[in-house]
Amino acid sequence: MAKKKSAEVSEAQIAVHWQEEELIHPSPQFVSQANMTDPGIYERFSLDNFPECFKEYADLLTWYQYWDTMLDTSDAPCWKWFVGGLINACYNCVDRHLDKYKNKAAILFVPEPEDEPHAAVTYQELYVRVNEFAALLRDFAGLEKGDRVTLHMPMVPELPVTMLACARLGVIHSEVFGGFSGQSCGERVADSGSRVLITIDAYHRNGKLIDHKVNADLAVEAARKSGQIVDKVLVWSRYPGQYHSASPPVEGRDFMINDVLADYAGARVDPVRMAAEDPLFLMYTSGTTGRPKGCQHSTGGYLAYVAGTSKYIEDIHPEDVYWCMADIGWITGHSYIVYGPLALAATTVMYEGVPTYPDAGRAWRIAERLDVNIFHTAPTTVRMLRKAGPDEPAKYDYHFKHMTTVGEPIEPEVWRWYYDVVGKGEAAIVDTWWQTETGGFLCSTLPALQPMKPGSTGPAVPGIHPVIYDENGEELGAGTGKAGNICIRNPWPGAFQTIWGDRERYVDTYYAKYCRDKDSKDWRDWPYLTGDAALLAEDGYYRILGRIDDVINVAGHRLGTKELESAALTVEEIAEAAVVPVVDEIKGRAPDMYISLKPGFEASKETETRVVKAIEEMIGKIARPKHVHVVPDMPKTRSGKIMRRVLAAISNTMDIGDVSTLANPDVVEGIRVLVQGEGKVALKKGPEDIARFGDEG
Ligand code: PRX
């Protein structure tokens, strides 16, 4: 049964957290050099000109053959863009820049140890490395067009080299964030049907050289249990010629890439001409059930969309030094470190490590040293840097013309520090709202055309036409002060094509709710459900309030509560587990875990430790709960459902509301005391996403 959730909130309630903010205009210096200063772009990308408007983005690319159909809706809601077109993503990101830019840096790599020199990979060097590795993938690993290969790699230049080599061959890459556990990686290997896994021996993080190859052994084993055999593990070396892992290479299965590459020195591989609609990559993300979804992104549509948005929203020119601090293991890194910037012949910076090691000045030293002028990060990092070193940016001589925030709502006071201190009052900021599924930005200001509003993502980007629906499918227009489910009316080229191997889940999750006619081939009948609640101000700027499903946005990354709960339930003594979001000063939200024990077991510190360990092993450290509360019983409805809303209210010291209709109202006070201590604490008016969390409607 579909969950019914009420997202209706009055403006007065929201104003507790969000006041109308003043508008801030970009500087004339920014505007005078911006890629997009023509307000006519909105008219060109209006619904009247849909879908032909997207030719403007596709024309930023080099095609072997133009498409004959701009948008094919015959398999609705699996939209096909640029049908008949032939293109190669690697060619567009590398080869075509050689004439003009071969000696320009494509990638600047900053290792974590500050005494290790930066590496500049020129476009020519990238071309050579990608070709040699593509030859290895084809001739040594036997990979061909349409095969899937899983990458479990950290932030090293070999990661984009691997992605581009796959793209050159038409092999579908599925990069799993390096911080995910071997077990998580193995599940994704199995789901995607990869028989090759590409990894590295080790990488630096927070002052330690982390052994990463051990995860490959766990991943191969986890995949085998799910019926997928990995026959080759290809291992890059953090330091070629050395080996920094306690796990020895497995004879006949594991191969050190640098050794094998010697056979392919000087090799050249013709880029494979791909249909625009052929998949380029998979990117897994969390949903409401425990199983992650492999979002399948296309070649032509995706690349056109990220090139267009990189040019106009990120304002990237080939002369710029652009630094997005995200990890390539997430969609932000795919779209806005690798594919978008490289399609535009930019210099893209990647760094190894964490923002605050060895100290809170590191980011600004990097910016100064490399003369970065476009900076891109998430609110969680801004909060972290603000806390650890509020005065650090002023000590360094760098100047950003443009900055991005992405991944979660940013509080206006955090936005102001970003603007005044990090951006030194000079940089235009874009607050970009989008998702793994959407490939690229959905909402943001066009930086030279519209003023910034702290805490608001801005209007929709050109060619995106959002609509906010209430539960009954009525539109909530501008200035109504009511929040609802934000949807996108129209398809766009960057949108994912389906969930890998699960079209039904794709349709159910993203289209079923507001579809007007399931047999329709008209895109107008298929609004895309983003899964976020939002409201639209009078001036056309959207405010994103957060997820409407059981997904917690931790430090800008999505974690499904079901994934955490299933991991906890693998601990023998645990009978029930429930996860709720708790407000966290740095991460925005963090998971709070409630567990109850099977009869005969006593609450102990060891149980808590085992839960944390199970989560780290099955998902990864990013999912570590903030607290583990062992409770005698869970608050439940009469039908036996755990009332997560009550637990969320307790974790966040918010009003618990009426619990008299529960099956066991008496347990609530006991849990409250356990979490908040004896005595009454002052209640907070918590944020709206938490107030609604787990609401059974
Ligand atoms: O809830 C929204 C939030 O992050 C979710 C998407 O997460 P993910 O697929 O991991 O992609 C993150 C990077 C694009 C959204 O459903 N979100 C993303 N950007 C913003 C945001 N919330 C508010 N403001 C944003 N700028």
Side-chain angles (χ1 to χ4, degrees):
M1 197 186 76
K3 261 194 191 170
K4 208 165 169 253
K5 295 190 176 177
S6 161
E8 276 200 16
V9 175
S10 71
E11 182 71 343
Q13 268 172 290
I14 287 164
V16 175
H17 312 286
W18 299 96
Q19 291 148 22
E20 263 312 314
E21 299 291 331
E22 56 168 342
L23 297 173
I24 299 167
H25 290 268
S27 68
Q29 288 80 352
F30 177 80
V31 175
S32 66
Q33 60 78 62
N35 278 328
M36 181 49 68
T37 52
D38 171 15
I41 187 167
Y42 286 102
E43 175 54 31
R44 293 202 302 283
F45 280 80
S46 68
L47 278 178
D48 288 344
N49 295 321
F50 180 87
E52 278 68 30
C53 52
F54 283 108
K55 179 173 185 298
E56 195 165 327
Y57 284 3
D59 279 344
L60 297 172
L61 305 178
T62 306
W63 295 78
Y64 297 118
Q65 182 179 300
Y66 245 21
W67 54 91
D68 41 57
T69 308
M70 178 67 71
L71 172 63
D72 173 357
T73 64
S74 60
D75 188 27
C78 294
W79 316 116
K80 296 188 177 62
W81 284 89
F82 309 121
V83 179
L86 293 177
I87 191 164
N88 183 279
C90 177
Y91 178 86
N92 272 276
C93 292
V94 185
D95 306 42
R96 68 170 180 151
H97 303 318
L98 295 180
D99 269 357
K100 246 172 126 176
Y101 298 114
K102 65 168 162 282
N103 283 323
K104 186 177 113 69
I107 297 168
L108 293 173
F109 172 61
V110 186
E112 182 173 272
E114 290 196 313
D115 53 3
E116 205 174 293
H118 297 171
V121 183
T122 63
Y123 275 95
Q124 173 66 20
E125 178 67 12
L126 185 60
Y127 173 77
V128 169
R129 290 197 202 176
V130 164
N131 270 281
E132 292 178 349
F133 192 55
L136 183 155
L137 290 178
R138 185 188 61 190
D139 301 340
F140 179 76
L143 290 167
E144 48 186 63
K145 178 177 163 177
D147 288 346
R148 281 79 55 209
V149 51
T150 298
L151 285 47
H152 192 203
M153 291 188 61
M155 290 290 279
V156 290
E158 288 76 10
L159 172 52
V161 165
T162 303
M163 291 161 66
L164 292 164
C166 289
R168 197 167 189 86
L169 299 172
V171 168
I172 304 167
H173 59 75
S174 170
E175 153 71 359
V176 175
F177 170 58
F180 274 131
S181 66
Q183 167 83 27
S184 288
C185 176
E187 285 163 12
R188 289 155 174 79
V189 166
D191 190 82
S192 62
S194 303
R195 53 176 193 80
V196 174
L197 172 64
I198 305 179
T199 187
I200 194 167
D201 61 338
Y203 64 95
H204 292 280
R205 189 178 164 86
N206 222 355
K208 290 195 211 85
L209 187 60
I210 308 227
D211 182 346
H212 189 58
K213 159 63 172 55
V214 289
N215 293 316
D217 301 332
L218 299 170
V220 170
E221 181 52 19
R224 192 188 59 77
K225 283 195 184 137
S226 301
Q228 178 64 36
I229 301 298
V230 172
D231 48 43
K232 280 197 173 64
V233 177
L234 304 178
V235 188
W236 287 103
S237 309
R238 178 61 182 81
Y239 297 98
Q242 304 174 19
Y243 188 61
H244 294 276
S245 170
S247 145
V250 174
E251 184 70 35
R253 185 198 76 183
D254 299 356
F255 300 91
M256 298 309 296
I257 292 170
N258 291 91
D259 296 345
V260 187
L261 263 181
D263 295 341
Y264 297 93
R268 297 290 179 266
V269 172
D270 282 340
V272 175
R273 297 180 176 217
M274 304 296 290
E277 271 308 291
D278 285 333
L280 177 62
F281 67 88
L282 305 180
M283 167 66 62
Y284 282 84
T285 190
S286 297
T288 42
T289 69
R291 213 157 42 88
K293 308 176 270 197
C295 295
Q296 177 185 317
H297 283 282
S298 73
T299 306
Y302 170 81
L303 198 65
Y305 197 70
V306 298
T309 48
S310 293
K311 180 155 182 172
Y312 301 129
I313 315 288
E314 290 299 299
D315 200 51
I316 296 176
H317 307 61
E319 303 74 38
D320 291 322
V321 180
Y322 166 84
W323 182 20
C324 171
M325 278 187 101
D327 193 293
I328 295 174
W330 307 106
I331 191 69
T332 303
H334 274 50
S335 301
Y336 298 111
I337 297 178
V338 180
Y339 285 113
L342 295 181
L344 298 177
T347 296
T348 188
V349 177
M350 37 186 309
Y351 87 113
E352 182 185 43
V354 297
T356 47
Y357 182 86
D359 56 62
R362 178 159 184 242
W364 322 126
R365 275 196 296 285
I366 294 173
E368 178 184 87
R369 167 93 189 216
L370 302 180
D371 201 14
V372 171
N373 67 341
I374 307 182
F375 185 68
H376 187 151
T377 195
T380 185
T381 306
V382 180
R383 290 184 209 111
M384 196 192 296
L385 290 168
R386 174 174 177 243
K387 187 167 181 217
D391 307 320
E392 287 299 306
K395 298 181 190 162
Y396 297 91
D397 181 21
Y398 67 82
H399 295 275
F400 297 150
K401 67 166 186 176
H402 181 289
M403 304 195 300
T404 301
T405 164
V406 61
E408 28 164 349
I410 186 165
E411 300 79 1
E413 69 271 21
V414 176
W415 191 99
R416 277 204 190 79
W417 183 77
Y418 195 36
Y419 183 76
D420 292 333
V421 180
V422 176
K424 306 179 177 182
E426 300 164 339
I429 296 186
V430 292
D431 183 336
T432 60
W433 168 69
W434 59 298
Q435 314 177 295
T436 304
E437 293 87 339
T438 72
F441 305 145
L442 296 174
C443 282
S444 165
T445 49
L446 266 171
L449 283 171
Q450 289 142 342
M452 306 158 241
K453 185 162 42 158
S456 282
T457 170
V461 301
I464 299 292
H465 302 278
V467 55
I468 300 177
Y469 288 125
D470 70 9
E471 282 303 314
N472 306 318
E474 295 298 324
E475 274 188 50
L476 299 171
T480 60
K482 285 197 176 146
N485 299 329
I486 183 164
C487 298
I488 311 298
R489 290 182 198 275
N490 60 298
W492 66 100
F496 69 141
Q497 303 173 291
T498 187
I499 295 175
W500 179 257
D502 201 346
R503 188 184 197 274
E504 202 180 314
R505 189 175 179 200
Y506 165 80
V507 178
D508 280 359
T509 312
Y510 301 100
Y511 293 97
K513 191 171 174 90
Y514 293 114
C515 177
R516 282 179 271 277
D517 171 5
K518 295 221 158 47
D519 297 319
S520 173
K521 305 290 175 208
D522 185 339
W523 57 264
R524 291 170 195 80
D525 291 324
W526 295 93
Y528 166 79
L529 179 74
T530 65
D532 280 336
L535 82 166
L536 178 58
E538 199 104 46
D539 57 11
Y541 280 45
Y542 290 89
R543 281 180 193 167
I544 306 298
L545 304 176
R547 305 287 311 176
I548 55 169
D549 51 16
D550 296 331
V551 169
I552 306 181
N553 190 332
V554 181
H557 301 309
R558 277 154 64 172
L559 293 176
T561 53
K562 287 282 182 303
E563 285 170 73
L564 280 109
E565 291 165 4
S566 333
L569 287 169
T570 62
V571 176
E572 197 218 335
E573 61 266 41
I574 293 182
E576 289 176 307
V579 170
V580 299
V582 59
V583 172
D584 182 276
E585 192 195 348
I586 302 292
K587 298 177 180 169
R589 302 285 176 272
D592 240 9
M593 169 75 76
Y594 288 81
I595 51 174
S596 68
L597 303 179
K598 290 177 186 160
F601 287 98
E602 290 286 310
S604 70
K605 222 36 249 145
E606 287 73 54
T607 296
E608 290 175 31
T609 313
R610 274 198 285 277
V611 169
V612 172
K613 200 158 161 270
I615 289 172
E616 288 184 358
E617 275 171 12
M618 300 193 68
I619 306 173
K621 285 205 166 72
I622 47 159
R624 192 199 307 239
K626 190 162 176 159
H627 310 102
V628 178
H629 304 293
V630 185
V631 298
D633 194 8
M634 298 282 181
K636 293 201 186 114
T637 61
R638 295 219 166 107
S639 60
K641 276 192 151 182
I642 300 176
M643 285 296 283
R644 289 179 177 72
R645 181 181 61 73
V646 171
L647 299 173
I650 293 175
S651 277
N652 292 281
T653 47
M654 289 160 66
D655 181 13
I656 295 168
D658 180 13
V659 292
S660 61
T661 58
L662 293 189
N664 54 354
D666 333 336
V667 303
V668 175
E669 180 58 14
I671 300 176
R672 194 197 65 77
V673 170
L674 189 103
V675 175
Q676 300 173 357
E678 295 285 347
K680 291 272 173 214
V681 287
L683 291 182
K684 293 185 195 138
K685 187 107 191 154
E688 205 267 344
D689 59 310
I690 290 182
R692 267 188 303 106
F693 190 80
D695 193 352
E696 304 298 316

